[in-house]
Each structure stands twice: as C-alpha cells, then as structure tokens.
Amino acid sequence: MGDGKNLTPIPYLKDKYSGAPERLRREAEAARDRLFSNRTLPPSQPRKGDPIRLPPGVSAEAFESAIQDLRGAIGAENVQITDQALVDGWYVESPNTHDAFHIVDQEGLVSSAVVYPGSTADVQAVVRWANRHGIPIYPISLGRNVGYGGAAPRVPGGVVVDLGRRMHGILDIDGENASCVVEPGVTYFRLYEEIQARGLPLWIDTPDLGGGSVLGNAIDRGVGYTPYGDHFANHCGMEIVLPNGELLRTGMGAMPGPNGTDNPTWQSFQHAFGPAVDGIFSQSNFGIVTKMGMHLMPAPEAHQSYCFTFPRDDDFEQIVDLIRPLAQRRILGNIPQLRHVIEELAITGKRQHTFRLDGDTNANRQLTREEVHVAAAGLPLGECAWVFYGTQYGDRASIAAQLDAVKAAFAQVAGSRFFLPEDLPPSHYLHDRARVCAGTPVLRELDWLNWAANGAHLFFSPIAPTRGRDARRIHEAIVAAHARHGFDLFPTLCVAGREIHYITNIVYDRGDAGAKARAVRLMREMIAECAAMGFGEYRTHLLFADQVAGTYNWNHGALMRFNETVKDALDPNGILAPGRNGIWPRKYRGKGWELGADDVDMKVIGPKL
Ligand code: ADP
C-alpha cells in the first residue's frame, strides 16, 4: 500500500508558484493522503532503459555538446538532464519530465532534458539553440495537463521547455478594463489569490481543478464554468516566440504604444486589423506563447448554484432537449453540467469495489446498474440517474426569475427534484461546484481518481449537437464501448445552446499494463465510431492526436494540408513540438511517427525500426 511516511511537505503558494493555496491546506492534505493510500506502485522506480533518452537521431556526444551550448546560452543552472528515476507524484507535485498518468510505459514518453527560460529573450535563445542542433523542444506552462498528456513531449527524448518555473509573473491586473496579463506559469490558484489580496471585485474563470496555467489552458482551448467559461474566446492579445526565434504580438499589441509602451488597447480588443491569427497558435505547434491577456468578469451582485436530479436513464434525451432553449435564450447563466449518478459515487473518493454487492475486487468489471442504484440511494441526492448542476448570476430578482424558468422546464421530467446547497450536507459536491461556478478554484475533482488503485485518467471529449436524438446516439455508442472494455462510464456533459462537450473520463490503474491496453483500445474505438457519426473530439491526449486529426479529413485532408503548409513555413527544421495535435513537420512526416486507429499496441510509439 501507499507510504504514509516520509512525505515531503506540500508546496503552498507562498513557497512556490505552482503550489496549492493556503486556504485549501486541509483539502490538499486529505486529497494527497487518499491518493497515496490507494497507491500500490512505489513512488519511483529505477530507470529501465538508457539513463538518458536521447532525441531521435542525436548521438550521445552530439547531445552532450548541444547541452553545453544550451547551458552557455541561458545558464547552467537552468538546464537539467532527465536521467533520474521518474516520479509520478500527484496533482500539486506534478512532474515535468513525463506524463504522470502514463498510458504507455512510464518511460515511454520521457524527455532528455528540461530547460527553464527566465524571459522571452531566453525562450528565443532556446528556440535558436534547437534550430542549431536539430533537437525537438516541447513547451509546457505548468505541465499538469491532466488526461491529455501531462508534461510529456510527443517525441521521446525531446527537451521540455518548462516556462512556468521562472516565468510566472502576473504582469498586470487592470480593474477598470477588467483584464489581466499573465506569463505562462500563472495558475488559476495564484491569479485568484492575487485578486482577492488586492480586493478587486473581479472574478477569474477556473476549470474544475485550479492548478493549471491560465495561459496554457486558454491556448489549449480549455473551459470553465462562469459566464466567461470559454477561455480562448476570453483571451485578449498574445506575445509569441515563433519557431525561428522571431517575436510576434497579436491583436492590438501588433501596434506599438507611445514611447515604447505596450499598446493601450492590447487587452481591450481581440482581433485588430487583418487576418485574426491568434487561433493558429491555439492547439498547435506554431509558436511559444510568453504572455497573454485575459478578460476578467466583474463580480455579479449575486449567484446561485443548484442541482436537479432525474430518475431514469431514459430521461436523457428529454433533458438535453429541455436544456437547449434555456441555453440558447441565455436563461442558463453558465455552461451547466449534466452528470450520471455514478459520478456521485466516484466523487466520494472511495474505491470502485467498495460499491460492489458481491464483494468481488476483480478490477475488470463495471458496476452493475443495480449496484449504482443501491449505492446512490444511500447518498444525499438519493436514487436517480442524472444530475444537472447549474448556476444563475445577476441580482436577486433576476436570479429568482431565471430559476423559475429553469424549474418550469425541468418539472416536465416526471420525478425530477431540485436542490440548493443548503439542502445538502457540507461535504456534498454541490458546494464545490458552487465555488468553481463562482470562479473560486478548488481541488475536489481529484477525489474520483481513487476509483482505481494508482488512479490515472484519460479524457475522451467529443462534440455533439444539443439535440436529444443526436446526444442519445453518441451516448449509446460510448456506453457500449465502455461495456465492451469493462470501464465504468463517467459522462460529464457540458451543455451549451447548440453543442455539447461530452467529456468522459476513463479512470485506470497506471500500474496495470492490461488496464492501460484496454483504455487505449476503448479510446481508439470511440474516436472511430464517433467520427463515423460525424462527432469529433475538441481536444485529446497527445497519443491519440494523429487519429483524431485524421478524422477531420474533409476534402481529402484539406485542413491538415493547410496546417502542414503553415508548419513547414514557420518551422522548417521541425523543432517545435513535432506531432502536437497531429501536426508533424516535414522532417518527421510519413516516417513512422504517426499513430493511427490500428495502433493499439503502444509499446513502440516512434518509427518501428
Ligand atoms: P496545464 O496548464 O494543465 O498545466 P500545460 O502547461 O501542460 O497545461 O499546457 C497544456 C499544453 O499546451 C502543453 O502540452 C503544451 O503543448 C501547450 N502549451 C502550454 N503552454 C504553452 C506555451 N506557453 N506556448 C505554447 N504551447 C504551450
């Protein structure tokens, strides 16, 4: 079992930019202890392969001399070779050397070194160095990126550029414009605490967990749950180091301000003049973003979180059709979540087998519907099938009017029930949901990782139309795929007026090679089956990026041809994050790096020699 002893102290924000906030001390300790008590793997193991995983095609001598060059360029203390035992850690103490939630071998996607630039000029120096030596680099901001690949470079042996460690300044918070400018290492936790410390009536928008990078999440097109939940839509102005080392500012920032200052409207207007280029730097490998502006939400007079339960699995279609007009008419204040009741069990932080009626601890089967029902009946929301979590914003009178409309709609589902936070015990998830939906970052969502020993997870995140019959088709395909591979299904639907981010979490034991192999097969099959229905992923783990990119193949892959043209023009030596989002530079293209739908054996993820 896990090692309760010899734990290093949890880093908090006062000590470390990536730490947890002091106000969450109790929660952080409890979360870590629970995760470690469900760990059967040792904290680290000796490296099995070569002590250093060299970049492809680079000899040990050439690597050594390149590293000397890099040390000379940005300081020896800012370059670290990855030759140590790999430590998966946990959310707050996450590694920058590999993917903590490895679905290949722990060493399968490991870096050769990590470099810590301290300024935009340093980032330019690193990029120029990579071009000189033909070594692939992989930028991360915090490197948490849970469920999508963590800090791992797609090309093993790549050099991770850890931007966050030394570039984590909150460069500006403008109370009048309601905006901020941040460097890559600024987490939601830190931005939130800073705004509180300054006493400004502004909200940030945070994802379910608050340790990610505000900048990194926005360029990866992540989402949160206040009215400002579309992070990329709410960014305003970027500074980018291009793969050739040149520096670019987007939006109004392309026009200099007077006397060498930043343009005064850089954080006021996103698009400026000419083609809107910001988008090509999101989910791409076309540049390294060193600064980003974000709009902040003026704190509303009031907000009210709530949930509804619905009794039957088959209510699903009707619920989706009821949400659509509420969302399109903007009666719903944010992007609400529709979850299956099994997630009420998972968020208790207990292991899956504790809910089994037969006492069987075999890891490879789903809970039965009966087991879910029996367990749910003993929980605060009681027996049900679906739970809708929403929040309304505004003044008290408008919130009351909005809630009346929402209640009138959901009352059409026989047996639906309505809950406010005060109806539920303080430990119930609705209280954490209320915090997130009011822009207060928390750690609660770590709890469901305890479902499996050595809990790790993968996100499967397709987009479906907000139409009951379509939602049912994708849901049924995902249900069937999970049943085939013995994984419980945790559907979290983020439902907007016209589309649903259908987010599912595949929770697996990262110490169990068989479970990993099943998870890979499950992902591959779902990607293919959903694509056949016209439903594509909005984001994916880096090992599935080739397959997902391959599904966006209208007109014989016109989109990928366009991306490759841009990539080759901006990055002729192919040094920046080759393979990210399925975009391979010419140097790597067609040489065996791409992983397709049939690549279910992840033992070898590069060219098969
Ligand atoms: P998180 O914010 O969850 O810790 P990361 O820092 O790992 O996430 O960022 C998510 C992904 O976005 C990374 O894998 C990386 O490919 C990309 N990314 C992050 N920061 C930058 C950046 N400053 N410039 C370019 N790409 C970045």
Side-chain angles (χ1 to χ4, degrees):
M1 288 302 282
D3 51 324
K5 294 177 224 68
N6 303 325
L7 293 175
T8 51
I10 295 175
Y12 290 96
L13 280 175
K14 66 175 171 35
D15 317 308
K16 203 171 176 195
Y17 74 102
S18 58
E22 209 76 46
R23 70 181 161 84
L24 292 179
R25 181 177 283 272
R26 211 166 32 85
E27 289 87 341
E29 282 170 6
R32 179 192 60 181
D33 293 351
R34 205 174 300 135
L35 286 167
F36 283 13
S37 74
N38 283 321
R39 192 168 71 181
T40 58
L41 288 169
S44 70
Q45 300 175 70
R47 296 276 291 266
K48 298 189 294 278
D50 295 333
I52 303 173
R53 178 70 185 255
L54 295 169
V58 177
S59 69
E61 296 71 37
F63 182 70
E64 177 55 33
S65 113
I67 289 294
Q68 285 309 334
D69 186 19
L70 185 58
R71 288 186 170 131
I74 72 156
E77 68 284 11
N78 299 316
V79 180
Q80 202 170 24
I81 303 291
T82 309
D83 56 1
Q84 69 276 37
L86 301 178
V87 179
D88 292 338
W90 69 294
Y91 186 72
V92 175
E93 296 166 275
S94 60
N96 63 4
T97 44
H98 68 292
D99 183 1
F101 292 162
H102 34 91
I103 54 168
V104 291
D105 187 85
Q106 189 193 33
E107 286 177 39
L109 277 184
V110 68
S111 62
S112 55
V114 183
V115 52
Y116 301 101
S119 63
T120 298
D122 275 357
V123 176
Q124 292 175 284
V126 170
V127 163
R128 293 194 182 109
W129 166 85
N131 277 292
R132 276 201 299 282
H133 296 277
I135 291 180
I137 54 176
Y138 193 83
I140 60 168
S141 287
L142 263 296
R144 289 190 165 121
N145 204 20
V146 291
Y148 292 117
R154 172 63 175 85
V155 172
V159 171
V160 164
V161 184
D162 184 335
L163 298 153
R165 180 166 305 182
R166 295 174 65 215
M167 296 174 71
H168 49 254
I170 299 173
L171 302 179
D172 187 34
I173 300 177
D174 183 336
E176 289 168 342
N177 194 54
S179 63
C180 64
V181 182
V182 292
E183 288 191 314
V186 177
T187 62
Y188 296 98
F189 284 142
R190 247 193 82 227
L191 186 59
Y192 172 82
E193 298 300 331
E194 181 62 26
I195 289 172
Q196 301 314 301
R198 295 194 196 181
L200 292 168
L202 294 172
W203 279 13
I204 67 160
D205 185 279
T206 178
D208 295 289
L209 290 165
S213 157
V214 173
L215 179 158
N217 186 280
I219 52 172
D220 221 20
R221 300 206 293 268
V223 295
Y225 303 98
T226 73
Y228 283 35
D230 181 342
H231 293 166
F232 194 67
N234 285 291
H235 94 281
C236 196
M238 295 195 270
E239 180 182 272
I240 301 153
V241 173
L242 296 176
N244 63 2
E246 204 178 321
L247 194 58
L248 173 74
R249 283 189 173 185
T250 67
M252 299 305 290
M255 175 190 280
N259 305 319
T261 57
D262 294 343
N263 187 285
T265 50
W266 196 16
Q267 271 64 61
S268 308
F269 184 54
Q270 198 186 69
H271 298 309
F273 184 75
V277 297
D278 293 49
I280 68 164
F281 296 101
S282 71
Q283 290 198 6
S284 80
N285 46 15
F286 299 160
I288 299 181
V289 183
T290 49
K291 290 185 180 74
M292 182 182 275
M294 286 296 295
H295 288 166
L296 300 167
M297 178 171 150
E301 189 181 306
H303 58 95
Q304 178 66 61
S305 289
Y306 56 91
C307 65
F308 283 88
T309 62
F310 305 97
R312 292 165 298 270
D313 281 320
D314 281 348
D315 291 331
F316 179 67
E317 235 178 281
Q318 188 186 6
I319 300 167
V320 169
D321 284 329
L322 288 170
I323 296 173
R324 185 180 56 250
L326 290 172
Q328 285 184 359
R329 289 158 61 212
R330 305 215 168 148
I331 291 170
L332 294 176
N334 65 350
I335 302 292
Q337 283 194 349
L338 180 64
R339 298 179 165 217
H340 192 263
V341 69
I342 192 171
E343 287 158 272
E344 292 291 308
L345 314 190
I347 202 75
T348 62
K350 295 189 180 140
R351 288 283 294 279
Q352 194 245 30
H353 60 70
T354 60
F355 299 107
R356 293 186 180 187
L357 295 173
D358 57 7
D360 168 23
T361 54
N362 166 15
N364 292 345
R365 81 158 169 88
Q366 294 181 301
L367 287 188
T368 64
R369 196 68 193 83
E370 192 205 350
E371 285 167 328
V372 174
H373 269 295
V374 168
L379 293 175
L381 294 180
E383 201 184 315
C384 60
W386 295 99
V387 188
F388 174 96
Y389 285 99
T391 304
Q392 305 304 134
Y393 305 85
D395 57 46
R396 295 256 162 234
S398 48
I399 288 176
Q402 295 157 14
L403 267 182
D404 284 346
V406 177
K407 284 182 186 168
F410 287 142
Q412 295 173 56
V413 184
S416 68
R417 298 171 69 207
F418 174 73
F419 297 85
L420 289 170
E422 54 264 37
D423 301 329
L424 296 165
S427 61
H428 189 267
Y429 176 66
L430 178 56
H431 297 280
D432 294 280
R433 196 80 222 134
R435 285 182 197 104
V436 168
C437 293
T440 305
V442 295
L443 281 168
R444 180 70 193 264
E445 299 276 347
L446 292 174
D447 284 348
W448 47 254
L449 275 175
N450 296 295
W451 199 248
N454 309 302
H457 75 94
L458 264 176
F459 279 123
F460 176 61
S461 317
I463 300 292
T466 308
R467 244 192 316 264
R469 61 180 185 278
D470 287 321
R472 179 200 278 278
R473 285 170 66 220
I474 189 168
H475 178 59
E476 284 179 349
I478 293 171
V479 167
H482 276 66
R484 280 198 302 277
H485 294 287
F487 284 101
D488 292 303
L489 170 60
F490 300 114
T492 301
L493 282 72
C494 302
V495 190
R498 295 173 182 84
E499 61 80 27
I500 301 171
H501 280 45
Y502 186 125
I503 314 283
T504 57
N505 242 323
I506 305 169
V507 182
Y508 59 93
D509 175 349
R510 68 188 194 284
D512 178 348
K516 290 172 163 188
R518 284 188 294 121
V520 169
R521 278 196 291 277
L522 171 58
M523 279 291 282
R524 294 241 178 267
E525 289 173 20
M526 289 195 295
I527 294 166
E529 287 172 21
C530 288
M533 293 187 276
F535 305 136
E537 282 64 57
Y538 94 100
R539 192 177 179 193
T540 196
H541 187 285
L542 80 176
L543 285 177
F544 300 96
D546 296 313
Q547 188 188 359
V548 170
T551 63
Y552 286 85
N553 59 3
W554 184 81
N555 191 18
H556 314 290
L559 180 62
M560 185 50 82
R561 280 198 302 284
F562 177 84
N563 286 335
E564 287 171 352
T565 305
V566 175
K567 180 67 177 165
D568 291 340
L570 293 177
D571 186 8
N573 298 322
I575 50 102
L576 186 57
R580 175 156 157 74
N581 280 84
I583 305 167
W584 291 95
R586 186 179 289 125
K587 180 174 170 186
Y588 292 79
R589 209 144 63 221
K591 303 208 165 79
W593 286 98
E594 297 88 346
L595 290 169
D598 299 329
D599 286 301
V600 288
D601 177 1
M602 291 278 205
K603 281 192 207 69
V604 184
I605 50 177
K608 290 144 190 93
L609 302 170

